[in-house]
Amino acid sequence: MSDVIIVGAGTGGLSVARELSKNPDVNITIIEKGPKTTPGESYKFYDPWDKNELELIKTTCVGGSSLVIAGNYVPALVDELKEFDIDITPQLKQLEEEIQIQTMPKSHEGKINKLLADAARELGLEMQPMPKGINPEKCIICGKCAWGCPNGAKWSSLEDLKVAQSNGAKLITDEGVINLIVEDNKIKGVVTDKANTYYADVVVLAAGGIVTPKLLRIAGIKAGETLAVDPFVTIGGYYKGAQQDNEIQMNKFIKLPHIVIASHTSQFLLPKIQETHPDATSDDIISFMVKVPDNTKGYVYANEVVKGIDFEDASLIARGCGIAASILVKAGADIESISSTHVRGAHLISSARIGDIVDSNLETEIENLYVGDGCVLPEAPGLPPIYTILALSRRLGQYLAQKL
Ligand SMILES: Cc1cc2nc3c(=O)[nH]c(=O)nc-3n(C[C@H](O)[C@H](O)[C@H](O)COP(=O)(O)OP(=O)(O)OC[C@H]3O[C@@H](n4cnc5c(N)ncnc54)[C@H](O)[C@@H]3O)c2cc1C
Protein backbone atom coordinates (compact mmCIF):
# COMPACT_ATOMS: atom_id res chain seq x y z
CA MET A 1 0.00 0.00 0.00
CA SER A 2 1.17 3.56 -0.73
CA ASP A 3 0.10 6.56 1.36
CA VAL A 4 -0.72 9.72 -0.55
CA ILE A 5 -1.58 13.10 0.94
CA ILE A 6 -3.42 15.65 -1.16
CA VAL A 7 -3.17 19.19 0.21
CA GLY A 8 -6.36 21.10 -0.64
CA ALA A 9 -9.81 19.69 -1.44
CA GLY A 10 -10.39 22.15 -4.27
CA THR A 11 -10.73 21.82 -8.01
CA GLY A 12 -7.36 20.24 -8.75
CA GLY A 13 -6.97 18.27 -5.52
CA LEU A 14 -10.32 16.50 -5.75
CA SER A 15 -9.77 15.71 -9.42
CA VAL A 16 -6.46 14.01 -8.58
CA ALA A 17 -8.19 12.19 -5.69
CA ARG A 18 -11.01 10.94 -7.91
CA GLU A 19 -8.70 9.32 -10.45
CA LEU A 20 -6.11 8.08 -7.95
CA SER A 21 -8.80 6.50 -5.75
CA LYS A 22 -9.48 4.02 -8.55
CA ASN A 23 -6.27 2.24 -7.47
CA PRO A 24 -7.26 0.11 -4.41
CA ASP A 25 -3.60 -0.11 -3.33
CA VAL A 26 -3.41 3.58 -2.44
CA ASN A 27 -4.48 5.18 0.86
CA ILE A 28 -5.52 8.76 0.13
CA THR A 29 -5.83 11.46 2.77
CA ILE A 30 -7.06 14.86 1.61
CA ILE A 31 -6.27 17.71 4.00
CA GLU A 32 -8.39 20.84 3.55
CA LYS A 33 -8.05 24.14 5.39
CA GLY A 34 -11.69 25.14 5.02
CA PRO A 35 -14.94 23.52 6.14
CA LYS A 36 -17.35 21.29 4.25
CA THR A 37 -20.26 23.32 2.88
CA THR A 38 -23.13 23.07 0.42
CA PRO A 39 -22.95 24.82 -2.97
CA GLY A 40 -25.68 27.26 -1.89
CA GLU A 41 -23.70 28.34 1.20
CA SER A 42 -20.29 28.47 -0.46
CA TYR A 43 -20.40 32.25 -1.07
CA LYS A 44 -19.82 32.61 2.69
CA PHE A 45 -16.30 31.22 2.25
CA TYR A 46 -14.85 33.81 -0.11
CA ASP A 47 -11.54 35.03 1.34
CA PRO A 48 -11.55 38.74 2.29
CA TRP A 49 -9.73 41.15 -0.06
CA ASP A 50 -6.30 41.76 1.46
CA LYS A 51 -6.22 45.20 -0.26
CA ASN A 52 -3.59 44.08 -2.70
CA GLU A 53 -3.61 46.38 -5.75
CA LEU A 54 -5.91 43.85 -7.43
CA GLU A 55 -8.68 42.02 -5.62
CA LEU A 56 -7.72 38.33 -5.90
CA ILE A 57 -10.87 36.24 -5.58
CA LYS A 58 -10.88 32.74 -4.11
CA THR A 59 -12.67 30.62 -1.54
CA THR A 60 -11.44 28.46 1.31
CA CYS A 61 -13.73 25.45 1.67
CA VAL A 62 -14.15 21.88 0.43
CA GLY A 63 -14.72 22.15 -3.33
CA GLY A 64 -12.53 25.26 -3.57
CA SER A 65 -13.26 27.77 -6.29
CA SER A 66 -15.17 25.18 -8.35
CA LEU A 67 -18.20 25.95 -6.16
CA VAL A 68 -18.39 29.62 -7.13
CA ILE A 69 -17.44 29.50 -10.80
CA ALA A 70 -19.68 31.00 -13.45
CA GLY A 71 -19.76 27.48 -14.90
CA ASN A 72 -17.73 28.31 -18.03
CA TYR A 73 -15.78 25.46 -19.64
CA VAL A 74 -13.44 26.41 -22.48
CA PRO A 75 -10.50 24.20 -23.48
CA ALA A 76 -7.40 26.36 -23.13
CA LEU A 77 -3.64 25.87 -23.72
CA VAL A 78 -4.18 22.46 -25.37
CA ASP A 79 -1.53 23.11 -28.06
CA GLU A 80 0.82 24.94 -25.70
CA LEU A 81 0.83 21.89 -23.38
CA LYS A 82 1.86 19.63 -26.28
CA GLU A 83 5.19 21.50 -26.29
CA PHE A 84 5.76 19.88 -22.88
CA ASP A 85 4.72 16.43 -24.19
CA ILE A 86 1.38 16.74 -22.44
CA ASP A 87 -1.74 15.73 -24.35
CA ILE A 88 -4.88 16.47 -22.34
CA THR A 89 -7.36 15.63 -25.11
CA PRO A 90 -8.41 12.26 -23.53
CA GLN A 91 -9.09 13.98 -20.18
CA LEU A 92 -10.99 16.85 -21.86
CA LYS A 93 -13.19 14.26 -23.57
CA GLN A 94 -13.70 12.39 -20.28
CA LEU A 95 -14.68 15.65 -18.54
CA GLU A 96 -17.03 16.72 -21.33
CA GLU A 97 -19.05 13.56 -20.68
CA GLU A 98 -18.80 13.62 -16.87
CA ILE A 99 -19.75 17.30 -16.58
CA GLN A 100 -22.14 17.30 -19.59
CA ILE A 101 -20.63 20.50 -20.97
CA GLN A 102 -23.06 22.29 -23.28
CA THR A 103 -24.30 25.74 -24.24
CA MET A 104 -27.53 26.77 -22.53
CA PRO A 105 -30.79 26.45 -24.50
CA LYS A 106 -32.59 29.52 -25.85
CA SER A 107 -35.12 29.27 -22.98
CA HIS A 108 -32.23 30.26 -20.64
CA GLU A 109 -30.94 33.20 -22.70
CA GLY A 110 -32.41 36.04 -20.58
CA LYS A 111 -33.85 39.40 -21.63
CA ILE A 112 -30.68 41.43 -21.08
CA ASN A 113 -28.36 38.82 -22.59
CA LYS A 114 -30.49 38.99 -25.72
CA LEU A 115 -30.58 42.79 -25.69
CA LEU A 116 -26.77 42.93 -25.41
CA ALA A 117 -26.30 40.36 -28.17
CA ASP A 118 -28.63 42.32 -30.47
CA ALA A 119 -26.85 45.61 -29.70
CA ALA A 120 -23.43 44.00 -30.31
CA ARG A 121 -24.64 42.60 -33.63
CA GLU A 122 -25.80 46.06 -34.71
CA LEU A 123 -22.24 47.23 -34.08
CA GLY A 124 -20.82 44.32 -36.08
CA LEU A 125 -19.83 42.09 -33.13
CA GLU A 126 -21.21 38.59 -32.64
CA MET A 127 -21.72 37.26 -29.10
CA GLN A 128 -21.13 33.50 -28.91
CA PRO A 129 -22.83 31.22 -26.40
CA MET A 130 -20.48 30.11 -23.59
CA PRO A 131 -20.06 26.33 -23.03
CA LYS A 132 -21.39 25.67 -19.50
CA GLY A 133 -21.25 22.94 -16.90
CA ILE A 134 -24.83 23.71 -15.86
CA ASN A 135 -27.76 21.32 -16.13
CA PRO A 136 -30.52 23.36 -17.87
CA GLU A 137 -33.23 21.17 -16.36
CA LYS A 138 -32.15 22.03 -12.82
CA CYS A 139 -31.17 25.67 -13.52
CA ILE A 140 -33.80 28.09 -12.21
CA ILE A 141 -32.10 31.09 -13.91
CA CYS A 142 -31.46 32.91 -10.62
CA GLY A 143 -28.09 34.40 -11.64
CA LYS A 144 -26.46 33.07 -8.48
CA CYS A 145 -23.77 30.99 -10.24
CA ALA A 146 -20.91 32.78 -8.46
CA TRP A 147 -22.79 32.51 -5.14
CA GLY A 148 -22.56 28.74 -5.40
CA CYS A 149 -25.73 27.78 -7.33
CA PRO A 150 -28.41 27.26 -4.65
CA ASN A 151 -30.34 24.81 -6.83
CA GLY A 152 -27.38 22.51 -7.43
CA ALA A 153 -27.62 22.83 -11.24
CA LYS A 154 -23.93 23.60 -11.72
CA TRP A 155 -21.26 20.89 -11.66
CA SER A 156 -18.71 21.28 -8.89
CA SER A 157 -15.76 19.30 -7.57
CA LEU A 158 -18.02 17.90 -4.82
CA GLU A 159 -18.90 15.32 -7.50
CA ASP A 160 -15.24 14.26 -7.61
CA LEU A 161 -15.19 14.10 -3.80
CA LYS A 162 -18.16 11.70 -3.82
CA VAL A 163 -16.31 9.30 -6.15
CA ALA A 164 -13.05 9.55 -4.19
CA GLN A 165 -14.78 8.96 -0.84
CA SER A 166 -16.81 6.05 -2.16
CA ASN A 167 -13.45 4.51 -3.18
CA GLY A 168 -12.13 4.99 0.38
CA ALA A 169 -10.35 8.39 0.31
CA LYS A 170 -10.32 10.15 3.70
CA LEU A 171 -11.08 13.87 4.03
CA ILE A 172 -9.80 16.00 6.93
CA THR A 173 -11.33 19.50 7.04
CA ASP A 174 -10.66 22.71 8.97
CA GLU A 175 -6.95 21.94 9.09
CA GLY A 176 -4.42 23.83 6.97
CA VAL A 177 -1.05 22.53 5.88
CA ILE A 178 1.73 24.91 6.89
CA ASN A 179 4.93 22.95 6.31
CA LEU A 180 6.39 20.08 4.34
CA ILE A 181 8.74 17.41 5.70
CA VAL A 182 11.58 16.72 3.29
CA GLU A 183 14.50 14.36 3.93
CA ASP A 184 17.32 13.64 1.46
CA ASN A 185 15.37 15.55 -1.18
CA LYS A 186 12.37 13.18 -0.77
CA ILE A 187 8.96 14.25 0.52
CA LYS A 188 8.04 12.50 3.77
CA GLY A 189 4.89 14.29 4.92
CA VAL A 190 3.22 17.52 5.96
CA VAL A 191 2.66 19.53 9.14
CA THR A 192 -0.62 21.33 9.82
CA ASP A 193 -1.79 24.38 11.76
CA LYS A 194 -3.20 21.96 14.39
CA ALA A 195 0.38 20.81 15.05
CA ASN A 196 -0.34 17.41 13.50
CA THR A 197 2.22 15.63 11.34
CA TYR A 198 1.02 13.31 8.59
CA TYR A 199 3.51 11.01 6.86
CA ALA A 200 3.15 9.83 3.27
CA ASP A 201 5.03 8.32 0.33
CA VAL A 202 3.66 10.93 -2.06
CA VAL A 203 2.34 14.45 -1.49
CA VAL A 204 0.29 16.37 -4.05
CA LEU A 205 0.03 20.11 -3.43
CA ALA A 206 -3.31 21.51 -4.63
CA ALA A 207 -3.88 24.46 -2.29
CA GLY A 208 -4.41 26.94 -5.14
CA GLY A 209 -2.44 29.68 -6.89
CA ILE A 210 -1.32 31.48 -3.74
CA VAL A 211 -0.84 28.82 -1.04
CA THR A 212 0.80 26.11 -3.18
CA PRO A 213 3.77 28.35 -4.15
CA LYS A 214 4.08 29.50 -0.52
CA LEU A 215 4.43 25.85 0.59
CA LEU A 216 6.92 25.18 -2.21
CA ARG A 217 8.99 28.18 -1.12
CA ILE A 218 9.03 26.88 2.46
CA ALA A 219 10.47 23.64 1.03
CA GLY A 220 13.18 25.62 -0.77
CA ILE A 221 11.67 25.64 -4.28
CA LYS A 222 11.58 29.11 -5.84
CA ALA A 223 7.94 29.06 -6.94
CA GLY A 224 5.59 32.06 -6.94
CA GLU A 225 7.46 34.36 -9.31
CA THR A 226 5.05 34.07 -12.23
CA LEU A 227 1.58 34.47 -10.68
CA ALA A 228 -1.13 35.33 -13.22
CA VAL A 229 -4.74 36.22 -12.50
CA ASP A 230 -6.35 37.34 -15.82
CA PRO A 231 -7.38 40.85 -14.66
CA PHE A 232 -10.97 41.92 -15.24
CA VAL A 233 -13.36 44.76 -14.55
CA THR A 234 -17.13 44.92 -14.77
CA ILE A 235 -18.35 47.96 -16.67
CA GLY A 236 -21.98 48.97 -16.59
CA GLY A 237 -24.60 51.67 -16.60
CA TYR A 238 -28.13 52.56 -15.62
CA TYR A 239 -30.99 50.70 -17.31
CA LYS A 240 -34.29 50.82 -15.43
CA GLY A 241 -35.56 47.36 -14.43
CA ALA A 242 -32.78 45.41 -16.17
CA GLN A 243 -32.61 42.69 -13.47
CA GLN A 244 -29.55 41.30 -15.22
CA ASP A 245 -28.35 39.81 -11.92
CA ASN A 246 -31.19 37.28 -12.25
CA GLU A 247 -29.78 35.97 -15.53
CA ILE A 248 -27.12 33.30 -16.08
CA GLN A 249 -23.79 35.09 -15.71
CA MET A 250 -21.40 35.07 -18.69
CA ASN A 251 -23.90 33.19 -20.82
CA LYS A 252 -22.57 34.88 -23.95
CA PHE A 253 -19.23 36.39 -24.83
CA ILE A 254 -17.29 38.24 -27.49
CA LYS A 255 -13.72 37.07 -28.14
CA LEU A 256 -11.46 39.80 -29.52
CA PRO A 257 -7.66 39.60 -29.82
CA HIS A 258 -6.45 39.53 -26.16
CA ILE A 259 -9.85 40.63 -24.78
CA VAL A 260 -12.96 38.74 -23.67
CA ILE A 261 -16.21 40.67 -23.12
CA ALA A 262 -18.99 38.70 -21.41
CA SER A 263 -22.39 39.55 -19.94
CA HIS A 264 -21.88 39.88 -16.17
CA THR A 265 -23.09 41.96 -13.23
CA SER A 266 -21.42 43.28 -10.10
CA GLN A 267 -22.85 44.95 -7.02
CA PHE A 268 -19.70 47.12 -6.90
CA LEU A 269 -21.23 49.16 -9.73
CA LEU A 270 -24.28 50.30 -7.76
CA PRO A 271 -22.72 53.17 -5.74
CA LYS A 272 -21.08 54.49 -8.90
CA ILE A 273 -24.31 54.39 -10.89
CA GLN A 274 -26.10 56.09 -7.98
CA GLU A 275 -23.83 59.12 -8.54
CA THR A 276 -25.93 59.93 -11.64
CA HIS A 277 -29.12 58.03 -10.64
CA PRO A 278 -29.50 58.28 -6.84
CA ASP A 279 -32.64 56.10 -6.87
CA ALA A 280 -31.02 53.23 -8.80
CA THR A 281 -31.15 49.77 -7.22
CA SER A 282 -29.27 46.60 -8.10
CA ASP A 283 -32.16 45.82 -10.48
CA ASP A 284 -31.21 48.81 -12.64
CA ILE A 285 -27.73 47.78 -13.82
CA ILE A 286 -26.76 46.54 -17.26
CA SER A 287 -23.13 45.47 -17.53
CA PHE A 288 -20.30 43.46 -19.07
CA MET A 289 -17.13 41.87 -17.76
CA VAL A 290 -13.96 42.84 -19.64
CA LYS A 291 -11.14 40.36 -19.12
CA VAL A 292 -7.60 40.28 -20.52
CA PRO A 293 -4.91 37.55 -20.44
CA ASP A 294 -2.31 38.17 -17.78
CA ASN A 295 1.42 38.61 -18.24
CA THR A 296 2.50 36.43 -15.25
CA LYS A 297 4.19 39.34 -13.49
CA GLY A 298 2.80 38.65 -10.02
CA TYR A 299 4.83 37.45 -7.03
CA VAL A 300 3.91 35.23 -4.12
CA TYR A 301 6.31 35.56 -1.21
CA ALA A 302 6.06 33.87 2.19
CA ASN A 303 4.03 36.70 3.75
CA GLU A 304 3.05 38.85 0.82
CA VAL A 305 1.45 38.72 -2.62
CA VAL A 306 2.41 41.46 -5.07
CA LYS A 307 0.12 41.72 -8.04
CA GLY A 308 -0.79 44.80 -10.04
CA ILE A 309 -1.47 45.63 -13.64
CA ASP A 310 1.02 47.22 -15.98
CA PHE A 311 0.62 49.68 -18.84
CA GLU A 312 -0.06 46.91 -21.37
CA ASP A 313 -2.86 45.38 -19.23
CA ALA A 314 -4.34 48.80 -18.55
CA SER A 315 -4.47 49.74 -22.22
CA LEU A 316 -6.08 46.41 -23.17
CA ILE A 317 -8.67 46.80 -20.40
CA ALA A 318 -9.34 50.38 -21.56
CA ARG A 319 -9.83 49.16 -25.14
CA GLY A 320 -12.23 46.43 -23.98
CA CYS A 321 -14.15 48.92 -21.83
CA GLY A 322 -14.51 51.27 -24.82
CA ILE A 323 -16.05 48.49 -26.89
CA ALA A 324 -18.23 47.23 -24.00
CA ALA A 325 -19.49 50.76 -23.28
CA SER A 326 -20.45 51.27 -26.93
CA ILE A 327 -22.56 48.10 -26.80
CA LEU A 328 -24.11 49.03 -23.45
CA VAL A 329 -25.15 52.46 -24.73
CA LYS A 330 -26.50 50.93 -27.95
CA ALA A 331 -28.54 48.54 -25.75
CA GLY A 332 -30.05 51.49 -23.87
CA ALA A 333 -27.74 52.23 -20.92
CA ASP A 334 -27.56 55.87 -19.92
CA ILE A 335 -24.19 57.06 -21.24
CA GLU A 336 -23.53 59.42 -18.30
CA SER A 337 -23.87 56.58 -15.82
CA ILE A 338 -21.27 54.26 -17.41
CA SER A 339 -18.74 53.25 -14.71
CA SER A 340 -16.34 50.46 -13.94
CA THR A 341 -15.45 48.40 -10.88
CA HIS A 342 -11.90 48.13 -9.52
CA VAL A 343 -9.66 45.56 -11.18
CA ARG A 344 -10.05 42.01 -9.94
CA GLY A 345 -8.63 38.59 -10.74
CA ALA A 346 -10.28 35.18 -10.25
CA HIS A 347 -7.91 32.90 -12.19
CA LEU A 348 -5.06 32.50 -9.71
CA ILE A 349 -2.72 30.41 -11.84
CA SER A 350 0.76 29.78 -13.25
CA SER A 351 2.67 30.34 -9.99
CA ALA A 352 4.47 26.94 -10.21
CA ARG A 353 4.61 26.43 -13.94
CA ILE A 354 5.26 23.31 -15.96
CA GLY A 355 8.77 23.71 -17.33
CA ASP A 356 9.95 25.93 -14.43
CA ILE A 357 8.85 24.27 -11.20
CA VAL A 358 7.28 20.95 -12.24
CA ASP A 359 8.06 18.52 -15.05
CA SER A 360 5.62 17.02 -17.54
CA ASN A 361 4.38 14.60 -14.85
CA LEU A 362 3.82 17.59 -12.53
CA GLU A 363 6.57 16.41 -10.16
CA THR A 364 8.85 18.98 -8.50
CA GLU A 365 12.59 18.70 -7.95
CA ILE A 366 11.75 17.08 -4.57
CA GLU A 367 11.09 13.40 -5.22
CA ASN A 368 7.40 12.39 -4.93
CA LEU A 369 6.25 15.96 -4.35
CA TYR A 370 3.73 16.89 -7.06
CA VAL A 371 1.56 19.93 -7.88
CA GLY A 372 -2.03 19.23 -8.92
CA ASP A 373 -3.76 22.60 -9.25
CA GLY A 374 -3.94 25.69 -11.46
CA CYS A 375 -0.40 26.75 -10.47
CA VAL A 376 1.07 24.47 -13.11
CA LEU A 377 -0.46 26.21 -16.14
CA PRO A 378 2.50 27.27 -18.30
CA GLU A 379 0.90 30.62 -19.12
CA ALA A 380 -2.28 32.59 -18.53
CA PRO A 381 -4.82 31.70 -21.20
CA GLY A 382 -7.05 34.76 -20.70
CA LEU A 383 -9.86 32.21 -20.95
CA PRO A 384 -11.69 30.23 -18.26
CA PRO A 385 -8.96 27.86 -16.99
CA ILE A 386 -10.94 25.27 -14.99
CA TYR A 387 -11.44 22.82 -17.85
CA THR A 388 -7.68 22.66 -18.41
CA ILE A 389 -6.92 22.51 -14.66
CA LEU A 390 -9.36 19.60 -14.24
CA ALA A 391 -7.87 17.79 -17.26
CA LEU A 392 -4.29 18.20 -16.00
CA SER A 393 -5.19 17.05 -12.49
CA ARG A 394 -7.18 14.06 -13.76
CA ARG A 395 -4.11 13.18 -15.85
CA LEU A 396 -1.92 13.44 -12.72
CA GLY A 397 -4.34 11.19 -10.76
CA GLN A 398 -4.26 8.62 -13.57
CA TYR A 399 -0.46 8.79 -13.79
CA LEU A 400 -0.04 8.25 -10.03
CA ALA A 401 -2.68 5.48 -9.99
CA GLN A 402 -0.60 3.62 -12.54
CA LYS A 403 2.77 4.43 -10.96
CA LEU A 404 1.73 3.33 -7.46
C1 LIG B 1 -15.93 33.80 -8.61
C2 LIG B 1 -15.14 32.93 -9.53
C3 LIG B 1 -15.69 32.53 -10.74
C4 LIG B 1 -14.94 31.73 -11.61
N1 LIG B 1 -15.53 31.28 -12.76
C5 LIG B 1 -14.83 30.45 -13.56
C6 LIG B 1 -15.46 29.86 -14.70
O1 LIG B 1 -16.65 30.05 -14.94
N2 LIG B 1 -14.72 29.05 -15.48
C7 LIG B 1 -13.38 28.79 -15.22
O2 LIG B 1 -12.74 28.10 -16.01
N3 LIG B 1 -12.79 29.31 -14.13
C8 LIG B 1 -13.48 30.10 -13.28
N4 LIG B 1 -12.88 30.57 -12.15
C9 LIG B 1 -11.49 30.17 -11.87
C10 LIG B 1 -11.43 28.74 -11.33
O3 LIG B 1 -12.44 28.55 -10.39
C11 LIG B 1 -10.08 28.48 -10.69
O4 LIG B 1 -9.05 28.80 -11.61
C12 LIG B 1 -9.92 27.01 -10.26
O5 LIG B 1 -11.06 26.57 -9.57
C13 LIG B 1 -8.69 26.90 -9.40
O6 LIG B 1 -8.50 25.56 -9.02
P1 LIG B 1 -7.33 25.18 -8.01
O7 LIG B 1 -7.38 23.73 -7.79
O8 LIG B 1 -6.06 25.79 -8.51
O9 LIG B 1 -7.67 25.98 -6.67
P2 LIG B 1 -8.93 25.89 -5.70
O10 LIG B 1 -10.12 25.30 -6.38
O11 LIG B 1 -9.08 27.25 -5.13
O12 LIG B 1 -8.48 24.86 -4.58
C14 LIG B 1 -7.56 25.16 -3.55
C15 LIG B 1 -8.02 24.46 -2.29
O13 LIG B 1 -6.98 24.47 -1.33
C16 LIG B 1 -7.53 24.80 -0.05
N5 LIG B 1 -6.44 25.33 0.76
C17 LIG B 1 -5.93 26.58 0.78
N6 LIG B 1 -4.91 26.66 1.65
C18 LIG B 1 -4.76 25.43 2.20
C19 LIG B 1 -3.86 24.88 3.16
N7 LIG B 1 -2.89 25.61 3.73
N8 LIG B 1 -4.00 23.59 3.51
C20 LIG B 1 -4.98 22.82 2.95
N9 LIG B 1 -5.87 23.30 2.03
C21 LIG B 1 -5.74 24.58 1.65
C22 LIG B 1 -8.64 25.78 -0.40
O14 LIG B 1 -9.58 25.92 0.65
C23 LIG B 1 -9.22 25.12 -1.63
O15 LIG B 1 -10.18 24.14 -1.32
C24 LIG B 1 -13.61 31.35 -11.26
C25 LIG B 1 -13.08 31.73 -10.03
C26 LIG B 1 -13.82 32.50 -9.17
C27 LIG B 1 -13.23 32.87 -7.84
Side-chain angles (χ1 to χ4, degrees), residues 39-159:
E41 298 280 299
S42 56
Y43 69 92
K44 295 180 180 163
F45 300 97
Y46 274 111
D47 292 350
W49 180 13
D50 63 0
K51 293 293 168 194
N52 203 291
E53 193 177 326
L54 256 79
E55 184 185 358
L56 305 180
I57 315 172
K58 66 185 176 76
T59 54
T60 299
C61 58
V62 175
S65 296
S66 79
L67 288 171
V68 293
I69 62 168
N72 308 332
Y73 285 82
V74 178
L77 304 178
V78 180
D79 289 334
E80 289 81 351
L81 285 165
K82 285 187 181 146
E83 285 168 29
F84 298 94
D85 283 332
I86 298 176
D87 178 12
I88 54 168
T89 39
Q91 288 80 15
L92 291 174
K93 183 93 196 82
Q94 175 189 350
L95 283 156
E96 188 183 0
E97 283 162 21
E98 284 165 359
I99 297 176
Q100 302 269 299
I101 299 168
Q102 58 186 302
T103 55
M104 299 306 279
K106 202 141 187 66
S107 51
H108 290 55
E109 184 178 24
K111 172 187 82 175
I112 295 298
N113 254 303
K114 182 170 181 328
L115 190 68
L116 290 172
D118 291 345
R121 195 170 306 114
E122 279 185 54
L123 293 172
L125 293 165
E126 203 54 45
M127 291 189 78
Q128 322 167 28
M130 181 75 82
K132 293 277 183 186
I134 299 176
N135 178 346
E137 279 158 32
K138 279 196 184 169
C139 173
I140 53 167
I141 319 179
C142 65
K144 294 214 170 340
C145 314
W147 295 70
C149 187
N151 218 41
K154 190 180 67 180
W155 187 92
S156 82
S157 298
L158 296 182
E159 298 300 322

Side-chain angles (χ1 to χ4, degrees), residues 193-232:
D193 52 10
K194 293 204 171 149
N196 290 322
T197 301
Y198 298 91
Y199 293 96
D201 304 299
V202 169
V203 171
V204 178
L205 296 182
I210 306 293
V211 180
T212 289
K214 282 189 180 178
L215 292 170
L216 288 168
R217 284 183 92 87
I218 291 170
I221 298 176
K222 235 175 147 205
E225 302 197 341
T226 51
L227 171 70
V229 304
D230 289 342
F232 75 91

